Amino acid sequence: MDFAFTHEHEELRQTVRRFMENESSEATVRTLMETEPGYDRRTWERMASELSLLGLMVPERHGGAGLGPVELAIAMEEMGRVLFCGPYLASAVLATGALLHGADEAAQRKLLPAIASGKSIATVAVTEAAGKWDLASVAMRATRVGSEWKLSGVKDYVLDGHLADALIVAAKADDGLALFQVEANASGLERHALPTLDLTRKMARLNFSSTPATRISAGEATGALKQVMALGVTMLAAEQVGGAQRCLEMSTEYAKTRLQFGRPIGSFQAIKHKCADMLVETEFARSAAYHAAFAIADGEDGFEAAHLAKSYCSESYFHAAAENIQIHGGMGFTWEHPAHLYFKRARASSILFGDPSEHRLQLANILEL
Amino acid sequence: MAQREISEEDLRKRVRALLEEAHPDKVDQFTFRGKLYDYGLAWVHFPEGFGGLGVSPGMQAVIADELSKHAKTHYDDMMINAIGIGMGAPTVLTHGTDWMRKTLLRRIFTGEDIWCQLFSEPGSGSDVAGLATRATREGDYWTVNGQKVWTSLAHVSKWGMLLARTNPDAPKHAGMSYFLLDMQSPGVEVRPLHQITGEAEFNEVFLTDVKIPADRLMGREGEGWKVAITTLMNERTAIGGGGPTRRGAGSIGVLINLWKSREQGQFSPDAEILLRDRITKLYIEAELLRMTTQRGKAARKAGNPGPEGSVVKLAQAELNKRIWECAMDVMGADSLIYEPGYKRRRPTSRAREGRNSLTKYQFLRARANSIEGGTSEVMRNILGERVLGLPGEPRSDKDVPWKQIPRSA
């Protein structure tokens, strides 16, 4: 592993950063987070048409950019910096990953071009009442009625499930866990947007009662969904790096200019050393996320690297976001200041797809500790 | 230093010519290293006549490669004279007199003259520039009085790099001068300094009316700090660019082996869960330290060095202490026993000691990690000020004559 970022990687980063700074300002984030859909349609379409971001990992033959996990991680990191509001993790990462790893050619041909062009937003529904991406405990049943499949049960904490045009649902069929595609307007499907702790990332509860579905995985989908999870947590870790870096920058900028006792608070070691520790943790988090992205790009299953990255990046982002509030003092505790937006994103993303101790447990199992 | 062009093939030819004259499988290391120096292959980036050829330092790898192709014996360990080679030579080259360059550099490289560094004092640790050892000019000599501490290799050294105060009325950075001290001079007394391990890796050096000829000054009088910076800049490379490069190597590997070889029933199931999570956490950080070191190297190679290098020293020191603390916990009651006892000796090889006694030794030794080469507190200041650009502390010792600055007794 040599962390070899190319000139093209740097250009991609600069392009995404410029775009995000213009399209996802704090004011925009605050406006969007108060709306139910939680994203801006026009920005979403430009992400497809101008930057090819929505189909970054979609193969060229399906209308995408044909790039890989390293490029995707760069994009996620930049989105994390600005708390970008939109169904990117759901559609461009999880759903795209599920289609690439677990779906048959017909489903790929149908859905991937629409995802890449922005015509269709997709998400993956695995989690149920426990809120865990625990494949063994999936309770939703899929039953075959003649040539049609019907799904019944509840999917909870589904990222952007209230607005997705295509739902990719994990359910138990007679031959094991399988993937199904459900249309947004299918009969027997009820969708409830949830009031989320992190207003910048939307979730929904989905009730299925004999909802018609198309089976898109040929066989047992557990292996494919594990791959999707490794990809998902790696990309979430990259997003966390971007957020942590921004918290560090906010803290240092403030510490340079805020005067108390006649001098900048950053000249006090109590504050300076907090910033130094945040720097160390952010650099470690960066190594963890990049390492996981390169591991998957190199064709490894990436489980070990992904567990490592998710546990470390979750904790370091939360620490950076919490210290950012502390360094800003009373101001950092106000609604007007953006510190709480990062704090809530950090907290929610730490729990999403498994908390740090859960991932450490998985890692310990792999290492046979 | 002007760099000139020399082709890789020319360099390889030069190595082969050297091997014909003095092959390391046949001659002793002093002879061989002397020839390396004479051929300009010691430090290729040094000027011709001073152990180099004035070419890019990257070419050194070509020499190592060619040597390893033709010789079984390798006299390439800079530990033969770590401080002399790592820090002394660049300082002599940059600030030494002609006599020093002609006389000293070759013997530094061969290892015939061991060097030590006389900077730290009991009253100036992190604040080296506050040092109190006095040098007073008397005719053609300087007379030195004071005490130095944490001096590795002083007991075997021929030369010491001495930083002393020559003008107590100047502000502290402006009142120092840099001397080359013959360690055999009358009045130099070296005593072993025993650490918490009982061993003496370092020395105390007492200087009582030591006479140094005036031409042993390096740099100009009062400009000692500038010369010291050259020495200190090379300290990190001399000590080695920290961090294991192999997965699971180093202290974390020892901890994991200890954990895996624990006795059945040594810990309750609840304790196992807690310890396992703690060890996994340490493993994660050890891996990230390794990766961050690698990422720093890759970034430097690509020409955009970032903050990766600066975070490694702090992170490694703090992590290493926690790893050895955990190892003691895994050993449980066995960690109460310190076998084979505290040996009040100078350290040599520890290869023959058992794993458990070595771990206990490392647990004690690791306390120094966050003190030596810059305390963790100083490292956090450096990260805060130089990397993040935060303002410095207000200073009460800046533009004041050194003698007016309060000092510990």
Side-chain angles (χ1 to χ4, degrees), chain A residues 1-2 256 263 267 269 272-273 277 283 286-288 291 304 311-312 360-361 364-365 367-369, chain B residues 247 259-260 276-277 280 283-284 288 291-292 294-295 298 307 377 380-381 385 388-389 391-394:
Chain A
M1 185 76 50
D2 55 0
K256 283 177 198 175
R263 55 174 164 131
S267 68
Q269 291 190 347
K272 187 179 294 170
H273 289 190
D277 286 336
E283 286 304 315
R286 199 182 294 286
S287 298
H291 173 254
E304 186 181 327
S311 72
Y312 192 86
R360 275 200 300 278
L361 185 65
N365 289 341
L367 297 171
E368 297 175 350
L369 285 181
Chain B
R247 195 179 116 155
W259 172 248
K260 287 190 171 175
R276 189 173 188 241
D277 187 58
T280 311
Y283 172 83
I284 289 171
L288 294 177
M291 291 173 199
T292 305
Q294 260 176 285
R295 202 157 59 76
E377 289 68 28
R380 287 190 182 95
N381 284 349
E385 291 168 24
L388 298 175
E393 296 258 339

Side-chain angles (χ1 to χ4, degrees), chain A residues 34-183:
Chain A
E34 303 283 4
T35 66
E36 193 187 279
Y39 80 111
D40 181 73
R41 187 76 220 174
R42 194 187 51 90
T43 301
W44 188 254
E45 281 163 3
R46 287 185 57 206
M47 284 167 73
S49 60
E50 291 173 27
L51 303 183
S52 304
L53 279 180
L54 303 187
L56 206 60
M57 275 223 312
V58 172
E60 287 173 74
R61 67 193 166 91
H62 291 308
L67 298 172
V70 175
E71 291 81 7
L72 195 61
I74 290 170
M76 285 295 292
E77 186 184 339
E78 294 304 318
M79 290 181 208
R81 271 182 77 85
V82 296
L83 300 174
F84 170 72
C85 296
Y88 194 81
L89 180 59
S91 195
V93 180
L94 296 178
T96 301
L99 288 164
L100 290 174
H101 286 292
D104 53 37
E105 176 70 21
Q108 292 185 355
R109 257 205 321 270
K110 180 180 164 203
L111 291 173
L112 287 173
I115 289 174
S117 69
K119 285 199 187 73
S120 180
I121 292 170
T123 191
V124 174
V126 172
T127 48
E128 299 181 353
K132 284 191 172 179
W133 188 282
D134 178 2
L135 301 175
S137 70
V138 168
M140 179 173 279
R141 297 291 308 177
T143 45
R144 192 167 187 152
V145 184
S147 64
E148 246 196 347
W149 288 89
K150 303 269 191 194
L151 303 184
S152 288
V154 179
K155 290 291 177 185
D156 216 341
Y157 309 99
V158 178
L159 289 178
D160 304 298
H162 60 302
L163 61 86
D165 306 299
L167 303 166
I168 296 166
V169 185
K172 277 229 169 75
D174 288 339
D175 59 339
L177 197 66
L179 289 177
F180 298 87
Q181 188 225 322
V182 174
E183 296 294 338

Side-chain angles (χ1 to χ4, degrees), chain B residues 175-312:
Chain B
M176 285 176 284
S177 302
Y178 195 117
F179 299 92
L180 178 67
L181 169 66
D182 183 340
M183 294 295 287
Q184 273 70 55
S185 310
V188 177
E189 189 197 346
V190 178
R191 293 186 207 157
L193 178 61
H194 294 273
Q195 309 141 225
I196 63 176
T197 56
E199 294 187 336
E201 285 174 76
F202 308 98
N203 300 282
E204 295 178 291
V205 178
F206 296 84
L207 305 165
T208 313
D209 293 329
V210 177
K211 299 268 185 258
I212 301 180
D215 61 4
R216 301 270 170 86
L217 195 63
M218 289 174 83
R220 274 201 286 269
E221 182 184 340
E223 292 184 0
W225 186 246
K226 200 173 107 187
V227 185
I229 295 289
T230 303
T231 311
L232 293 170
M233 293 273 277
N234 286 285
E235 185 170 17
R236 204 174 295 165
T237 35
I239 290 171
T245 48
R246 215 160 33 78
R247 195 179 116 155
S251 51
I252 191 68
V254 176
L255 170 61
I256 286 174
N257 281 334
L258 272 173
W259 172 248
K260 287 190 171 175
S261 55
R262 70 193 179 281
E263 306 267 322
Q264 195 76 32
Q266 187 186 338
F267 300 102
S268 70
D270 288 349
E272 288 241 339
I273 291 170
L274 295 174
L275 265 172
R276 189 173 188 241
D277 187 58
R278 190 170 150 205
I279 292 166
T280 311
K281 240 182 190 168
L282 292 169
Y283 172 83
I284 289 171
E285 289 181 53
E287 273 291 274
L288 294 177
L289 178 69
R290 185 180 67 82
M291 291 173 199
T292 305
T293 307
Q294 260 176 285
R295 202 157 59 76
K297 279 184 195 152
R300 273 196 302 281
K301 221 166 109 187
N304 349 285
E308 307 89 358
S310 322
V311 309
V312 163

Side-chain angles (χ1 to χ4, degrees), chain B residues 254 258 324 331 334 337-341 343 345 349-362:
Chain B
V254 176
L258 272 173
W324 292 119
M331 281 192 286
D334 179 34
I337 309 303
Y338 199 79
E339 260 179 338
K343 293 182 198 146
R345 62 173 186 192
S349 165
R350 291 187 193 86
R352 284 190 308 276
E353 287 183 16
R355 192 177 69 200
N356 284 17
S357 54
L358 195 54
T359 299
K360 296 164 200 172
Y361 167 86
Q362 297 284 20

